[in-house]
Amino acid sequence: MPAAAKVTAFRRPCADPVFLFDARRPLVPASAEMIDQVITHADVAVRQSGGRLKLRISPEMIEALQAQGKLGAEAHRLADLTVIWDEAEGQVLTVRDDARLRDAAARWADWDALFDEESFRPLNAAA
């Protein structure tokens, strides 16, 4: 038996992969019902090339629909979804879920506030 066949590769212990800003996937993934609600109630529609639309629901629209009783109490999650709709085919092409980014932005808001312009003002008037 050749000597190379007897060599055992040792795996280095490694920690869990580091996620961007420690962002994790949302606890509840987007369901077909949530995607349908975004398509039905979208108030932000951006026309794209190839006959596609980017559909979103603004938080203000969600609050208005909740006041009318058209959406449930957990509908705030719909503001995280972006649906790319193909008008020619009449089908959903892509669904993007930004819940991870919203949660990460909320966690880092205090850190980012340290670097705003007001923090760089001199402490005394003479400086």
Side-chain angles (χ1 to χ4, degrees):
M1 180 181 289
K6 296 179 183 178
V7 175
T8 305
F10 292 102
R11 289 183 54 199
R12 291 187 212 163
C14 59
D16 291 336
V18 178
F19 291 94
L20 179 65
F21 301 117
D22 193 34
R24 303 284 189 224
R25 293 187 185 271
L27 295 176
V28 180
S31 65
E33 180 183 348
M34 293 170 68
I35 295 168
D36 187 44
Q37 288 175 342
V38 170
I39 294 169
T40 304
H41 301 296
D43 62 332
V44 179
V46 178
R47 188 158 303 279
Q48 297 182 323
S49 64
R52 298 175 180 168
L53 282 175
K54 180 166 67 169
L55 303 172
R56 291 188 59 95
I57 299 180
S58 65
E60 295 80 21
M61 179 64 135
I62 291 172
E63 289 177 12
L65 291 170
Q66 284 175 332
Q68 296 171 6
K70 294 182 179 179
L71 293 177
E74 295 185 11
H76 66 278
R77 176 89 168 76
L78 296 176
D80 296 330
L81 299 178
T82 301
V83 176
I84 306 296
W85 177 262
D86 188 350
E87 291 181 310
E89 297 292 327
Q91 66 183 2
V92 174
L93 292 178
T94 307
V95 177
R96 189 178 77 196
D97 191 349
D98 291 336
R100 295 181 307 143
L101 299 176
R102 177 183 43 84
D103 293 342
R107 272 191 237 115
W108 284 85
D110 293 335
W111 178 259
D112 288 339
L114 295 174
F115 299 99
D116 61 359
E117 291 186 20
E118 292 179 7
S119 64
F120 292 109
R121 289 187 183 166
L123 296 176
N124 56 16

